[in-house]
Amino acid sequence: MAQGLLSKDTELQYEKGSVFERIDYLMAVPELGGDPEQVEVTTLQDGVRKYIPGIKDPGDLEFQFLYDNETDTSNFRILRGLQESGAATKFKVVFPDDTEWAFTAIVNVKIDSADVNAALTFTASMMLQSEFEVTNP
């Protein structure tokens, strides 16, 4: 029987050269996957509307990070650099049980709203350019 799995130690990694490197201070991971759109196939002979599954649209994947911009290897600088390049980058979400969700995406970074006595965070939105490739542990 499954005992459940804590989200602690979940990572977002990006491909740098021929290796994947972790992006530090990840706070939140979006839903991964997507629901297929419904494509209507009702004919004039049908008494109810009929549908078939269409293309999945996961929308933008929004990853939230604790803001760090102190060095060249800080999370904010890494993701802003990827945004400025405009190129699609390979990423993977790695769960604590070593399940991996790999995908290619174009990055957009924005600073989140700031409140009194709150941590400064930012969001990296990923425009998906590939299907998800899931690797089981």
Side-chain angles (χ1 to χ4, degrees), residues 11-45:
E11 297 181 354
L12 177 65
Q13 301 176 0
Y14 75 107
E15 188 175 48
K16 183 178 180 184
S18 61
V19 297
F20 279 86
E21 293 192 8
R22 182 183 74 218
I23 303 173
D24 289 331
Y25 305 124
L26 178 64
M27 297 178 73
V29 173
E31 291 181 348
L32 300 173
D35 295 321
E37 294 181 9
Q38 291 184 356
V39 176
E40 186 175 353
V41 293
T42 309
T43 69
L44 295 174
Q45 289 77 36

Side-chain angles (χ1 to χ4, degrees), residues 7 12 15 32 35 45 49 65 82 97-98 107 116 123:
S7 60
L12 177 65
E15 188 175 48
L32 300 173
D35 295 321
Q45 289 77 36
R49 291 191 184 271
F65 292 87
L82 294 174
D97 68 351
D98 290 327
V107 180
V116 173
T123 299

